[in-house]
Amino acid sequence: MNKFSIDIKGIHCTGCVNLIKLVLEDDINLLEVSVDPLNNKANFLATDADEILIKKLDLVFKTTLEKYEYSNLIKL
């Protein structure tokens, strides 16, 4: 299991934070998701290989989280 961080554009309120956290946990099975609206970042744990994780993030940010944009996937 690895810890990752991503930047997220488009976070405006607590509702955004809750939606992003819920979708990342429920739709792509990430663990210990924390979303920081002040720094526009999310941190989480993932068991998937990096390339599979990127595919899952790409899909969820093009569909369910289409109002937001992620970038800079970094393994911590």
Side-chain angles (χ1 to χ4, degrees):
M1 185 162 318
N2 293 303
K3 186 169 187 170
F4 292 90
S5 174
I6 56 174
D7 294 333
I8 302 176
K9 290 182 184 177
I11 301 172
H12 300 290
C13 64
T14 306
C16 296
V17 170
N18 293 336
L19 176 63
I20 293 167
K21 184 177 182 338
L22 179 71
V23 169
L24 294 180
E25 289 174 343
D26 290 352
D27 289 9
I28 56 177
N29 300 317
L30 301 180
L31 305 170
E32 296 183 23
V33 176
S34 65
V35 179
D36 180 353
L38 298 177
N39 294 311
N40 297 310
K41 290 193 176 287
N43 294 320
F44 51 85
L45 297 175
T47 57
D48 294 317
D50 293 5
E51 57 276 352
I52 293 171
L53 177 59
I54 290 168
K55 286 181 183 180
K56 288 181 175 183
L57 287 168
D58 286 348
L59 179 62
V60 81
F61 277 92
K62 286 179 184 171
T63 56
T64 311
L65 297 175
E66 73 276 0
K67 294 181 182 178
Y68 309 96
E69 181 181 331
Y70 92 94
S71 60
N72 299 327
L73 177 67
I74 299 170
K75 191 180 288 187
L76 302 174

